[in-house]
Amino acid sequence: MAAPMSTEKSLNKKTLKYVVLGHLLSTSALLALVYVSLNGILEIDIISYPLNSIKVLMTFCLIIHGCLHFFIGSIKWQKQRLGLWIKDVLKCFLIFSISVMFFHCVAILFGAPFAQKSAETFHFAMILSTTTVAPLIIHLWTDFDAWFRVIIFQSPDIGIESMLNISFITSILGAWLGALPVPLDWDRPWQVWPITCVIGTLLGHCVGMMISSIYTCTQFNKRNKYKLT
Amino acid sequence: MTEISRKKFLYLIIYLQLCSYCLFMMGFFPVKKSLSESANFQNYSLEQHDIVQPQKQYDRVAIILIDALRTDFIYEDDHMPFVKDLMTQGYARSYVVKAHPPTVTLPRIKALTSGTIPGFIDVVLNFDSKTLTEDNFVTQTHSLGRNIVFYGDDTWVKLFPNHFLRSDGTTSFFVTDYTEVDNNVTRHIDDELSTLDWDLLILHYLGLDHIGHTVGPKSSLVQPKLQEMDDVIKQIYQQLLTQSESFLLLVCGDHGMSDQGSHGGASDREVLVPALFLSPSYRNTGTKRSSRKPLQIDLAATLSILMGTPVPANNLGQILLEALDSMDSGQKLDCLHINGQQILKLMIENVPDYEQENSYLMYQLAVKSYINYIKGDHSNSLDDIIQQYELSIESMSTKISGSLTTYDMYAMLLAMFMLCLCFISLSVVTVVESKTITIGLSQYIIVALILLVTFGHMTACTSQSFSSTSLCGRSFMSVFFYLTFMCGIILAIGAISNNVQSITFRKLIPDTTLHQLLLLGTLFHTLSFGSSSFVEEEHQTWYFLCMTVYIVVMVTKVKDHVVVTFTVKSEKQNSNNKNHYIPAKQSNENNEIVHENKHNDIDSDMHALHTRNLNNKSLTDIFLQLPWKQICGMFSLMCIVRCMRCMNQTGNKWLDVPDIGDWLISPENKDILTVSIVTSFCVSMTVRCVLSYYKNIIFISAILGCYGYRVAIGAINNVIPHPIILSIEQSSQGIFEARFVYSMILFLIVTSLIEYFITKRNSQPTFDYHRNLLEFTESLQNAWILVMFLLLRSHNCILVAMMIVQEKLIAEFIIKKTNIPSHYLAILCWWVGQASFFYQGNSNSMSSIDVSSGYIGLQDYNPIIVPLLLFSATYVGPIYWFIAMVKFILHSHIYTRQNKSSRTVNYNKEQNSVSMAIIRCVQTFILERLLTLLFYCIVVTSQRYHLFVWTVFSPKLFYEGMLNILISLFSCIILFTLS
Ligand SMILES: [Zn+2]
Ligand SMILES: [Zn+2]
């Protein structure tokens, strides 16, 4: 079995290319997914079947991040004892479920119905966790130093970590902004809780990934300049 | 160069802003152009056919106006069996008429009697009814020498003084009384039915409206009340029938009632009211009903025709033909022609080029086909011609009512310009950090400005379409506004031009997430007024923003805590590393710093990494070291706030969602209500007994008084089986208890004022001025809590307790250790205060004002006390948070000084720091007000032909004005006393 070891610190031009390309590809995949779900193509119709489509969206989001990790991930897996590995898995699962509970509570505090629609609220919390915490789990596994760099200290390394940092913030911002169209009196079917917030979350995530690829490029160029002089 | 202090400048800006608001209101609320004459009998002749208005159809007409009679009460429910019987036997003509908003009594009576559409401003005047000078059928009947008798709401007596042969007005303002008001009317009926010297009898019953206001339309009190009304109708009808068959009863409502029991808005429940003509002369002839939807103003014209009086001159309504059952088609057509001619006259008066109007042409066509009919051309049947008339009259009256609303654009634009100038000058002054403000201008510029303004004013006044009634007259008002705005413009331009160079934009950018959020949120709230649904759902904006603040504060605190706990240790270990990589305490936004450093020297990246790691802490360690006290405090704060928002659903979209308030009021939950109210009294007593010994006793006894009041009005059960309380309960209707609480409040304020001045005079060199002031603010806040307990609806007592706990938590966990700058503190308190305004159940619609709160402890209408109580009851929440803000400022000041622990602080310097904080708060408030008002005025002006202008935008403008007055008052008070 395997466990993560050290993170790769030096960033060369080739990996940069991969990182940026990977980000852009996953962004476009997610955007396509959002488009599909909004228009009810392929029977993923977020307006008629919100719960099922949220599940589908969530799975795809996980798969996309999984692929991203598989191709450009920086963790080197090592052989490890089975018991420790199971412990790590449990840890990650615990963190994920705590984050779902946390987001569920926050959604209720922000005004989501308390008793009714709890399935919808739960699914919203799941998708928000999928775009914020799940990428951290996938890319960083149990490297909690890196977790803290990304979430608390706001000083991630350039590359995957900065992507995680930026998309973490933009996903939450997207979910927050997604609540804005709800009070409008247009009486559209998509104004129902939690559709706008789910879409907001995913769009925020995509925007975050895009920004992070631009950010990575600019940072890389700056560093190279310093190295040359 | 003239210099004035910041304080004086603020006073001037507040004054200018209030003037601008007044001017805008005067320009926006349309000045109606109405004919001042009263109508005479008009005879028209078409060819050889003379049209004479028919004589009166009935010897006696009785109007039974049941306030807030909703359509379903009479047509759907079976609570009025006699009326139902008459309807099935065919002795009735029943209508559902549509009233124009605002659905408030006074404008509705005006509409009912004169056939005009009263404007929005009549709502404000609803509390102060003046004589109705416009032509109406009551005056017409009176001047024809007939006898009118009136019993009921005394609004009528004020509207029509000396019109009535006999009258007895009952005041409509004691809302909790719903038997006595109606008995006062009914007791006269026997006499009147035996005397029978009257031609017109008007009865206005208020009981149903009062039931609606206090317990709602679904209450069990509604059915017996309707039964009582039915009995009254039955008695009058049968008694009159014994005399002759020539009488008419009109049973109608003035407005409906929303499902919450209130009225004032424009929902179907409030707007649609029944109008029922009852007379034995009606036969069950299946007359064809016209497809037109009848309006409430139609009743005036119909009644005029039926009573044989001239149609009122300003009438816009149309005769309801089915009610003229005794006439043949020819006579009906004649009546319609009279109606049409009268409306045509109004149209000629009000619509500039009426000859091109479609409705005018339609009417001419109808007249022409009538002439053809008289000439003998019967290709159009009479019914067809009637239909033509009806259609054309309807479209003419729609056209006229549209053009009646003329806006005074000059006044509105000038007001907006002034607001804009005030906003710019105040924001310039705010950014410049000098003690005094230079406002002087050179004489040449002043003269030039005066000339320019005068010239502009002259041009505007002499131009045709731009002339203004409120600004261009020779009245005192126009001179006043002219001079005020002249000085205002000079002042503002002086302030802008002298200070604009010293602006530094760096200061404008807030530094932390919380501050950015507070600034952007306020801006967002202002901009959200551009959409009518965000105006209707304003509470959602506030709830959302407040919750975001709490979450941001919590997350920031947790983050800071983790950063501090884990980096300090690593700092010790790698002490030779460079410190500036360690995220400092205030570094919740430190990524910029870190990145900057990265650019500077990349080699030290490795060190940065070391300082950022957790030294292999396990997850449980991290978990245990989180600031749990903070998290729990913030979490309970958020839970309380979440509960508060479910207390009263407001707005429009989710108004029908069941809330805790509705559930608590329902009679079967009285025990739960009792327990929760008593608990909240206890909670507030334990939290708020912070004063000196005797003041605490006053506070507690006043709370007991509030308890007694709630028991006396029957809102809660008595849990103290003491004989004294039991005897009080039976004796008064809560008036005694309420007055006891008022006197206690006064006593509390007066004693703390006296204490304040005594301590101030005995001041020693070490005298603590601010502690004394803080003491006074605390007792003022306690007094205000008592006001809240007394004035709010019973279930909202829980809200008060929650608010007290909320304030405690905010003080403890947000303000205490954050050292938040005073202007951001002001924004925070403003947000929370606005949210609490909506927690109470208020909204941006007139119908959510709780009228009954204006009469607590009163027996009669009092023109000073009632509006004052209403105003304080509506704005209790915001005022509470304003007081809290002052408290926070004083508190944090004393706290920081204690931390300095130096007794030798310069007294003057200290004084200044508090006064600077207060001035900053006031600047923030006024800036917010100016910005919102300016933006909202622009929105309203551009949307003045919008569908929702009378239902959404105008009430909001009114609310904004009230808020403006409140904030200006508050700002002046704290500026005066604290700086
Ligand atoms: Zn009424
Ligand atoms: Zn009423």
Side-chain angles (χ1 to χ4, degrees), chain A residues 78-128:
Chain A
Q78 280 193 345
K79 282 216 161 177
Q80 207 184 21
R81 272 175 41 222
L82 181 66
L84 278 178
W85 188 77
I86 288 176
K87 215 174 150 191
D88 279 356
V89 170
L90 279 179
K91 259 187 207 165
C92 288
F93 183 72
L94 187 72
I95 289 173
F96 186 78
S97 35
I98 286 177
S99 83
V100 171
M101 262 151 57
F102 175 74
F103 285 130
H104 191 103
C105 287
V106 169
I108 286 176
L109 286 175
F110 266 107
F114 185 73
Q116 302 97 4
K117 291 209 166 192
S118 48
E120 278 86 348
T121 312
F122 186 72
H123 277 75
F124 165 71
M126 293 243 276
I127 197 124
L128 194 48

Side-chain angles (χ1 to χ4, degrees), chain A residues 139-173:
Chain A
H139 295 288
L140 303 177
W141 197 233
T142 52
D143 180 6
F144 290 116
D145 280 353
W147 277 67
F148 270 59
R149 273 202 298 279
V150 170
I151 310 175
I152 305 255
F153 296 120
Q154 300 282 344
S155 53
D157 291 336
I158 308 303
I160 287 286
E161 281 184 20
S162 66
M163 182 275 279
L164 289 173
N165 177 23
I166 292 171
S167 67
F168 188 95
I169 295 167
T170 51
S171 301
I172 289 175
L173 258 180

Side-chain angles (χ1 to χ4, degrees), chain A residues 60-79:
Chain A
F60 271 100
C61 188
L62 286 178
I63 290 172
I64 286 168
H65 272 284
C67 294
L68 195 64
H69 176 69
F70 183 77
F71 288 115
I72 57 166
S74 54
I75 298 171
K76 299 206 173 75
W77 296 86
Q78 280 193 345
K79 282 216 161 177

Side-chain angles (χ1 to χ4, degrees), chain B residues 69 176 201 357 363 479 497 528 654 796 815:
Chain B
L69 183 66
T176 43
L201 169 73
E357 287 301 330
Y363 181 69
V479 176
S497 61
S528 77
W654 293 283
N796 280 347
I815 290 161

Side-chain angles (χ1 to χ4, degrees), chain A:
Chain A
M1 293 293 112
M5 269 310 285
S6 64
T7 46
E8 202 176 49
K9 264 149 239 134
S10 59
L11 195 66
N12 57 40
K13 204 151 192 184
K14 206 176 163 195
T15 40
L16 172 86
K17 226 186 201 169
Y18 274 120
V19 167
V20 171
L21 209 69
H23 288 180
L24 289 179
L25 272 178
S26 1
T27 310
S28 39
L30 265 179
L31 277 178
L33 211 63
V34 170
Y35 179 78
V36 161
S37 70
L38 271 177
N39 290 288
I41 311 165
L42 301 174
E43 295 184 15
I44 318 170
D45 185 357
I46 197 160
I47 290 159
S48 334
Y49 313 103
L51 297 188
N52 283 334
S53 7
I54 289 173
K55 276 180 201 130
V56 171
L57 284 171
M58 221 171 79
T59 326
F60 271 100
C61 188
L62 286 178
I63 290 172
I64 286 168
H65 272 284
C67 294
L68 195 64
H69 176 69
F70 183 77
F71 288 115
I72 57 166
S74 54
I75 298 171
K76 299 206 173 75
W77 296 86
Q78 280 193 345
K79 282 216 161 177
Q80 207 184 21
R81 272 175 41 222
L82 181 66
L84 278 178
W85 188 77
I86 288 176
K87 215 174 150 191
D88 279 356
V89 170
L90 279 179
K91 259 187 207 165
C92 288
F93 183 72
L94 187 72
I95 289 173
F96 186 78
S97 35
I98 286 177
S99 83
V100 171
M101 262 151 57
F102 175 74
F103 285 130
H104 191 103
C105 287
V106 169
I108 286 176
L109 286 175
F110 266 107
F114 185 73
Q116 302 97 4
K117 291 209 166 192
S118 48
E120 278 86 348
T121 312
F122 186 72
H123 277 75
F124 165 71
M126 293 243 276
I127 197 124
L128 194 48
S129 301
T130 315
T131 52
T132 52
V133 178
L136 285 169
I137 293 175
I138 292 170
H139 295 288
L140 303 177
W141 197 233
T142 52
D143 180 6
F144 290 116
D145 280 353
W147 277 67
F148 270 59
R149 273 202 298 279
V150 170
I151 310 175
I152 305 255
F153 296 120
Q154 300 282 344
S155 53
D157 291 336
I158 308 303
I160 287 286
E161 281 184 20
S162 66
M163 182 275 279
L164 289 173
N165 177 23
I166 292 171
S167 67
F168 188 95
I169 295 167
T170 51
S171 301
I172 289 175
L173 258 180
W176 189 80
L177 289 172
L180 292 188
V182 177
L184 292 171
D185 60 355
W186 299 341
D187 292 325
R188 298 289 156 80
W190 50 262
Q191 275 181 301
V192 177
W193 167 252
I195 294 172
T196 48
C197 288
V198 169
I199 301 295
T201 310
L202 287 172
L203 287 182
H205 194 66
C206 296
V207 169
M209 301 244 274
M210 266 192 272
I211 293 174
S212 75
S213 52
I214 297 165
Y215 176 75
T216 313
C217 285
T218 49
Q219 285 299 309
F220 186 78
N221 286 342
K222 259 184 198 164
R223 279 180 177 217
N224 274 5
K225 251 183 225 161
Y226 276 113
K227 268 183 185 161
L228 288 173
T229 47

Side-chain angles (χ1 to χ4, degrees), chain A residues 7 9 91 94-95 98 102 105-116 144-146 148-158 161 165 169 175-188 191 215 219 222-223 226-227, chain B residues 517 524 531-534 536-537 540 543-545 547-548 551 554-555 558-560 562-563 566-567 583 587-588 590-591 594-595 598-600 602 605-606 609 611-617 619 622-623 635 638-639 642 645 653-654 658 948:
Chain A
T7 46
K9 264 149 239 134
K91 259 187 207 165
L94 187 72
I95 289 173
I98 286 177
F102 175 74
C105 287
V106 169
I108 286 176
L109 286 175
F110 266 107
F114 185 73
Q116 302 97 4
F144 290 116
D145 280 353
F148 270 59
R149 273 202 298 279
V150 170
I151 310 175
I152 305 255
F153 296 120
Q154 300 282 344
S155 53
D157 291 336
I158 308 303
E161 281 184 20
N165 177 23
I169 295 167
W176 189 80
L177 289 172
L180 292 188
V182 177
L184 292 171
D185 60 355
W186 299 341
D187 292 325
R188 298 289 156 80
Q191 275 181 301
Y215 176 75
Q219 285 299 309
K222 259 184 198 164
R223 279 180 177 217
Y226 276 113
K227 268 183 185 161
Chain B
L517 173 70
F524 167 75
S531 141
S532 68
S533 26
F534 273 114
E536 278 176 320
E537 308 289 330
Q540 301 284 357
Y543 297 166
F544 199 69
L545 287 176
M547 193 51 81
T548 314
I551 294 267
M554 186 169 96
V555 169
V558 171
K559 226 159 91 175
D560 284 357
V562 173
V563 167
F566 293 104
T567 45
S587 64
N588 34 31
N590 65 332
N591 44 356
V594 174
H595 291 319
K598 269 186 189 166
H599 309 156
N600 291 345
I602 304 124
D605 227 12
M606 289 295 286
L609 260 177
T611 54
R612 279 186 277 134
N613 73 28
L614 302 170
N615 302 324
N616 302 320
K617 291 255 176 197
L619 261 190
I622 298 165
F623 189 71
F635 186 71
M638 289 189 275
C639 286
R642 179 67 176 86
R645 78 178 270 167
K653 204 173 174 181
W654 293 283
F948 291 154

